Amino acid sequence: MNLILEAKEEVEPELKVFTENRVKFSLKPLLWMVRKIQIRYSAISAAKTHCNQNCVVSLETFDHHQIEVSMTARDKRIALEMCLKKIYKLVQKAFHKSQQYGRFSKHVYI
């Protein structure tokens, strides 16, 4: 798995470590299926509410599914949590669909 972290401003080292650990923990059962994960943090300057931190998680699976989720929250960590929750459901759905059509086996080791 290749994890790419991007942000417009400087990323704090503890946020980087938190992001890596959280992604590995959240996607642990389906991590073998993920080829590349890209996480982008940004701040929305003209937000009318306090929710001004945006997180975009895009990933590519080994059967070339592209999944992208974007969430906005008060904090980068909360936005990441919400994205990972949604991404897990979508990766699980892609896995079941691939298994149904015979593209993936349960016993594939990569």
Side-chain angles (χ1 to χ4, degrees):
M1 178 196 70
N2 188 8
L3 178 69
I4 302 167
L5 182 63
E6 297 177 0
K8 291 189 178 185
E9 58 273 346
E10 187 67 31
V11 178
E12 301 128 15
E14 58 191 35
L15 180 64
K16 185 176 181 179
V17 170
F18 173 79
T19 301
E20 290 173 358
N21 290 337
R22 197 65 204 146
V23 167
K24 288 177 184 175
F25 179 77
S26 296
L27 298 175
K28 194 173 192 176
L30 298 173
L31 196 61
W32 62 272
M33 204 176 137
V34 178
R35 175 182 290 170
K36 181 173 114 177
I37 299 176
Q38 186 174 17
I39 300 173
R40 289 186 303 269
Y41 291 116
S42 62
I44 301 170
S45 59
K48 294 180 181 178
T49 62
H50 293 293
C51 299
N52 63 351
Q53 298 296 324
N54 192 26
C55 178
V56 178
V57 178
S58 57
L59 61 86
E60 180 182 343
T61 62
F62 277 103
D63 62 341
H64 304 291
H65 274 89
Q66 296 283 341
I67 301 172
E68 186 169 321
V69 175
S70 175
M71 295 286 176
T72 304
R74 289 182 182 209
D75 189 11
K76 291 179 183 178
R77 295 174 187 232
I78 296 170
L80 177 68
E81 290 286 336
M82 293 188 321
C83 280
L84 289 175
K85 185 176 180 181
K86 184 70 174 175
I87 245 5
Y88 181 80
K89 290 180 183 178
L90 293 172
V91 169
Q92 197 173 31
K93 188 176 180 180
F95 173 67
H96 289 304
K97 190 178 281 189
S98 295
Q99 239 184 351
Q100 181 181 9
Y101 294 115
R103 288 185 227 139
F104 261 146
S105 170
K106 219 191 286 190
H107 307 290
V108 171
Y109 297 104
I110 299 171

